[in-house]
Amino acid sequence: MAHLKDARKELIDQLIFVLDHSMTLKKDGVDPMVPFSVLVKGDDKVIKTFVGDTPEYAEKMFEKTIREEDPEIAVFATDTYLTIEDTKSDGVLIKAYDQRDNYIYLVGQRFIPKTTERDFEKIGNPAFLGTVENHFKTGGNGTPETREKKSKWKFW
């Protein structure tokens, strides 16, 4: 399995931008966050939103965008829940795609949402959650790679 340190710098730069933008939206109290992606093609960089009824629809639209627009880099962010050591938290899931790479990198950031009684708070650091096969390049099915041992996290 590839690790985030194997990704090229341009992808990491966009991943950090998307993570920072997501956390700014959450700090401002945006809930739910409209799933979005940063698409890079040559010198052009655009943010595209995926408005729909479900997170699954947004992910399908993200994949459709990759197929139709053929970006060099596409980094997608959506709301999720992350469970670590039996503690379920609000989170943001980021999928980082690079057309040159055989993997799509998954990163999560947990947080406590802003409420009328409490300020927004990030929980810990961003976490590398693993990879899925870049089926746009490899022709595979994009299923997550399994680890030898049980993961400490899961999506809900």
Side-chain angles (χ1 to χ4, degrees):
M1 175 170 68
H3 194 279
L4 205 51
K5 65 179 173 47
D6 301 321
R8 68 180 171 128
K9 181 185 180 320
E10 293 85 354
L11 181 67
I12 298 300
D13 290 345
Q14 298 312 314
L15 189 151
I16 291 169
F17 172 81
V18 167
L19 177 64
D20 288 345
H21 185 62
S22 298
M23 291 298 99
T24 298
L25 291 171
K26 292 302 180 179
K27 185 176 182 180
D28 290 345
V30 175
D31 189 42
M33 176 179 75
V34 173
F36 71 94
S37 181
V38 170
L39 305 173
V40 178
K41 194 170 186 177
D43 292 335
D44 295 331
K45 179 169 94 170
V46 298
I47 293 179
K48 184 170 188 169
T49 58
F50 304 103
V51 179
D53 295 335
T54 66
E56 294 80 15
Y57 175 80
E59 288 196 39
K60 285 181 183 180
M61 294 310 297
F62 171 63
E63 290 193 4
K64 180 179 178 189
T65 298
I66 291 173
R67 282 191 303 278
E68 292 179 357
E69 297 186 25
D70 194 31
E72 295 167 25
I73 290 173
V75 182
F76 173 76
T78 188
D79 286 325
T80 193
Y81 293 105
L82 293 171
T83 301
I84 299 178
E85 298 175 358
D86 296 326
T87 302
K88 185 176 175 179
S89 303
D90 287 281
V92 171
L93 172 64
I94 298 172
K95 292 184 174 188
Y97 159 87
D98 182 342
Q99 70 179 186
R100 296 183 191 176
D101 204 314
N102 289 333
Y103 299 97
I104 296 173
Y105 299 89
L106 307 176
V107 174
Q109 174 66 60
R110 298 180 304 144
F111 63 90
I112 297 170
K114 179 180 180 177
T115 65
T116 53
E117 299 85 31
R118 184 177 183 143
D119 288 335
F120 166 86
E121 182 182 340
K122 284 198 288 187
I123 302 172
N125 294 319
F128 173 61
L129 304 176
T131 60
V132 293
E133 179 183 7
N134 182 355
H135 57 279
F136 299 102
K137 182 175 181 189
T138 64
N141 62 8
T143 56
E145 290 201 4
T146 57
R147 297 182 179 191
E148 304 259 335
K149 61 182 183 177
K150 185 178 175 185
S151 296
K152 292 185 176 181
W153 60 270
K154 59 184 172 182
F155 298 114
W156 287 112

